[in-house]
Amino acid sequence: MSRSLLLQNCRVYDPLHHIDGEIMDIPIRDGKIVDSVPESASRIDLSGLTVMAGGVDIHTHILGSKLNTARAMCPEDHRADPVAATKKTRSGVGFTLPSSFVTGYRYSTMGYTTVTEPAVPPVKALDCWEELHDLTNVDIAMLPMLGNNMITFDFVQQEDLPGLAAYVSWILHSTGGLGVKVVNPGGTYAWAHGKNVRELDTEIPDWRITPRMILTSLCQAVEMLGLPHPLHFHPNNLGKVGNVETTIAQLESLKHIRGHNGRKHIVHLAHISFDALGMVEGGRPEWKDVHSGGLQLAEYANANDHFTVDLGQITFGPATTMTGDGPFQFSLYELTHSKWANMTVDVELPGGAGIVPYTYDPKSPTNAVQWAVSMEYALNIRDIWRCALSTDHPNAGPFTKYPLVLSWLMSKRQRDRWLTEMHPSVGQRSTVAESDREWSLYEVAIATRAAPAVILGLQATKGHLGVGADADIAVYDLRPDDIQRDPDRIVRAFSSAHLTVLGGRVVVKRGEVASTPHGRVWSSSPQVEESLHRRVVGEVRERFSRWYAHSFDNYAVPVRYRAAFETPMATPSVAES
């Protein structure tokens, strides 16, 4: 028996179909949006309410070993936000490191229905799949990290691009990943030598390759395979004053690469709050001389259309920084003398991720300028379709601060109010105070739904409300006139959805979790020619035996962990050449 539902009198914002506030009905049947439903269908009247597709988060750390290590090393984080059980939900904790169940509940309470874990060490992918049993209410995608992997290095050094593509294909099949993440290419490997690699053409210890070679080779391999999501990129020199020049140089190095099937955007730049730090004129690369580089990166983006970004917006208050960029985390530890965890076994290499708790203070001159970086970018980028909302949860702040970030982007009044509480450096070293731009609800729907769905390659079923889309829907008690009258209403409305629907099932009613279904895991399944596959698998097996402690035969995540959740996406075949 089919399950039918009709949402009536919705004020719809659906940019993928150019719908900007039209009053419409949305018919739902068997988890999909359809043309019509029978008269017997259940009905919900949403007169006066704003309706969008379910939110899509392109970059949020919600699974994996470093998150669990952070939870263990920060018990004070749990004590700050205990979450009681209800008739529908389990108990847990929140704050900057929500427990798994609470993560799903809080995303769906905000109207989000799809999230992406962007940093999965392939050797620890099984850990992520096991956690999925405790993470409900959202669909998920995962991105394995390959930028500091010795087998990647070997294919790059041999200039064996088909071999590298086949290795990427094997990794995605083995781990259930959607795409490929690169973190500080070569720099994290150098961390095993107590070093970092800051420049594009610096040779990596033990190898005759450079970050440029790793970055361009992996980007080409992703496009050869036709993966749904372009290369997901965390640049070298992260968190260093003046690094906007390094970031632009790395983006520039990729411009020549042809996108699969004419794809225009061939790389996604993650968390620009940390990647686009400028420097005052005549200054030195020291924090006292930091300047926002957000405008410089926006001007580069307006002139070059081969990349997309997510903001990684600083939100002020407590955060927990965690990244596969081990040397960056050590430098942050030296700066703060806070707790520090160095996770040395990630991705089967002798360096890896780090964790450091951190509090962003609006009165700090450096934190105030950092806040301005991504805000300045978002207020100056012409094409919002290339700009996705994120806080790089929990690095720049928890994902639960998205409503506050939206209020800054949608209301100059709200920005001005906050600017008066920040260190004056933000006015002297950025242009945020001068901008009158205010994002509309249509632009919010682009940056939080349509654009991330398109960038992830999920637009056939996610990020819109057209016929055939998954019935992932968010309803907010918010009217266009409310925004100008009371910017704080933006925060309240996006914090607590009136209704959230996941796959046709109501999961939130009036801000309360109503049901807790498991979502799906979206993976890609690239195909390579059989002879190429056999060659590369044989070579990888031999390298495992020489370099890895983990055995080849136990590396892949078994089907029994994946079968209940995984939804593979079709990708084209690649031949050896």
Side-chain angles (χ1 to χ4, degrees), residues 224-286:
M224 279 180 70
L225 291 168
L227 298 185
H229 180 44
L231 188 69
H232 200 102
F233 179 42
H234 161 139
N236 298 97
N237 220 14
L238 183 113
K240 297 297 180 185
V241 174
N243 69 359
V244 66
E245 301 290 347
T246 314
T247 297
I248 289 175
Q250 291 179 96
L251 292 171
E252 192 71 10
S253 75
L254 299 171
K255 275 177 66 175
H256 69 284
I257 295 173
R258 289 179 57 190
H260 176 79
N261 209 19
R263 177 159 67 185
K264 189 182 295 183
H265 311 314
I266 47 86
V267 62
H268 177 77
L269 178 65
H271 44 59
I272 62 169
S273 282
F274 303 103
D275 314 335
L277 298 169
M279 190 162 55
V280 298
E281 190 172 348
R284 297 171 58 82
E286 300 171 357

Side-chain angles (χ1 to χ4, degrees), residues 135-139 502-503 505-507 513-520:
L135 182 51
T136 63
N137 291 47
V138 286
D139 282 2
L502 174 68
R505 182 169 175 176
V506 174
V507 292
V513 175
S515 62
T516 58
H518 280 94
R520 292 172 291 173

